[in-house]
Amino acid sequence: MGLMDMPVFSALTDKMRWHQTRQGLLAENVANAETPGYRGRDLKQFDSGTMSAFSSASLSTSATQPMHFSVSSGVGGFDAQRMANFEITPEGNGITLEEEMMKVTTNMMDYQAATSLYQKSVRILRVALGKNA
Amino acid sequence: MDFNSSLRIAATGLQAQTARMRVIAENIANADSAGKAPGDEPYRRRIPTFQTVFDNEVGGRVVEVGRMAYDMSDFTSRYEPGHPAADATGYVQYPNVNTLIETVDMREAQRSYEANLNVVTVTRQMLGRTLDILRG
């Protein structure tokens, strides 16, 4: 079982990729802030459904006979819900530099939170393995 | 789109604003450049234009400096009979540069430059955090 098969890590990686993509779009907005006719773009909100998926994910019983009931919670494996790419939303053409700066800062802070969580998860894993963390 | 492309997009923004600053500097420097002889055209104000270009290599929409357009508005004229470029009525044609407008433009370019620089700084911090994961 690789690290990416664990829901926590795949969810955090998704979130980090989302912030990375958003940073690129925000960079575009700032660079093109004074280009006439430019339409600013931003990413759609990170789908919290995928984030909550791993908290509610539970083990499902395997049906060895067709008569068995399925007791899975309906939420499949998290990996099935991983996003291949993110949807981009256009939002007006007027770009406010202040607003973009705020978005850039928020994006960075959220990204840092995600990387911190990632590091903590790795540390927990090391504790579980019996290594001094 | 990875962090490197974010950095490169911000870098094009820096380049564009630098080019704009250069044109503004030209305008301000030549604000009093009248012609040498009567009938000569004085310096004509230039305007930088920006355009959005999709860069395949970067994978994003970068900004590029387009054509340097000429400001076709009227020249100003001042009454200076002693000037070598004065016409028969004693008026000299001066450039259509308004120093006030250029100063405001300059400030705007400066702010935009700072904003792009801020994006570079923040992106570098995020990149640093990614590498921090390696340290565990």
Side-chain angles (χ1 to χ4, degrees):
Chain A
M1 184 167 164
L3 207 61
M4 290 312 292
D5 292 332
M6 299 176 77
V8 178
F9 291 106
S10 64
L12 284 174
T13 312
D14 266 349
K15 189 162 170 61
M16 278 153 71
R17 275 201 299 139
W18 185 85
H19 285 300
Q20 195 178 44
T21 311
R22 189 177 189 210
Q23 186 72 9
L25 286 177
L26 294 179
E28 275 184 8
N29 287 355
V30 174
N32 289 293
E34 279 157 49
T35 315
Y38 176 82
R39 286 183 72 86
R41 297 189 300 176
D42 198 355
L43 273 188
K44 267 178 82 168
Q45 280 293 314
F46 187 71
D47 194 358
S48 57
T50 43
M51 281 301 281
S52 61
F54 76 87
S55 59
S56 66
S58 58
L59 291 170
S60 59
T61 51
S62 55
T64 49
Q65 283 196 10
M67 293 294 282
H68 283 168
F69 287 110
S70 173
V71 281
S72 68
S73 59
V75 183
F78 183 75
D79 280 330
Q81 292 173 22
R82 286 190 65 167
M83 281 167 275
N85 48 12
F86 303 103
E87 201 175 324
I88 296 162
T89 56
E91 48 150 44
N93 45 1
I95 290 172
T96 329
L97 225 45
E98 293 85 358
E99 213 175 289
E100 296 301 316
M101 288 294 102
M102 284 302 292
K103 281 189 202 163
V104 166
T105 314
T106 319
N107 196 38
M108 177 194 66
M109 281 162 66
D110 290 348
Y111 184 82
Q112 291 191 345
T115 52
S116 297
L117 271 172
Y118 197 98
Q119 277 180 290
K120 293 270 190 268
S121 308
V122 171
R123 221 165 283 169
I124 287 170
L125 218 58
R126 284 170 65 183
V127 170
L129 288 169
K131 292 188 175 139
N132 290 332
Chain B
M1 201 181 292
D2 60 354
F3 285 134
N4 281 330
S5 50
S6 305
L7 286 174
R8 283 167 74 174
I9 291 165
T12 61
L14 293 176
Q15 276 172 8
Q17 296 305 328
T18 311
R20 184 188 189 185
M21 275 298 251
R22 207 197 65 231
V23 177
I24 294 169
E26 276 178 25
N27 286 345
I28 293 177
N30 286 295
D32 288 313
S33 304
K36 284 197 189 97
D40 273 5
E41 263 207 358
Y43 174 83
R44 195 177 275 282
R45 177 175 177 248
R46 297 213 294 166
I47 310 164
T49 57
F50 293 146
Q51 60 199 35
T52 310
V53 180
F54 185 85
D55 192 323
N56 274 322
E57 208 184 321
V58 178
R61 299 187 296 173
V62 303
V63 62
E64 249 180 32
V65 184
R67 209 167 49 86
M68 291 293 171
Y70 283 102
D71 183 352
M72 297 314 278
S73 61
D74 292 338
F75 294 119
T76 51
S77 53
R78 265 186 254 162
Y79 184 67
E80 278 179 38
H83 199 284
D87 60 8
T89 52
Y91 280 94
V92 183
Q93 296 246 295
Y94 271 100
N96 50 354
V97 177
N98 187 340
T99 334
L100 180 75
I101 292 172
E102 299 303 325
T103 312
V104 173
D105 259 9
M106 192 170 70
R107 276 289 148 82
E108 213 174 283
Q110 192 185 346
R111 292 287 164 263
S112 193
Y113 190 91
E114 280 171 9
N116 277 294
L117 211 55
N118 193 21
V119 172
V120 173
T121 316
V122 168
T123 309
R124 278 192 52 189
Q125 279 175 17
M126 288 167 84
L127 210 57
R129 291 296 293 223
T130 319
L131 296 175
D132 277 349
I133 292 177
L134 280 177
R135 287 186 211 145

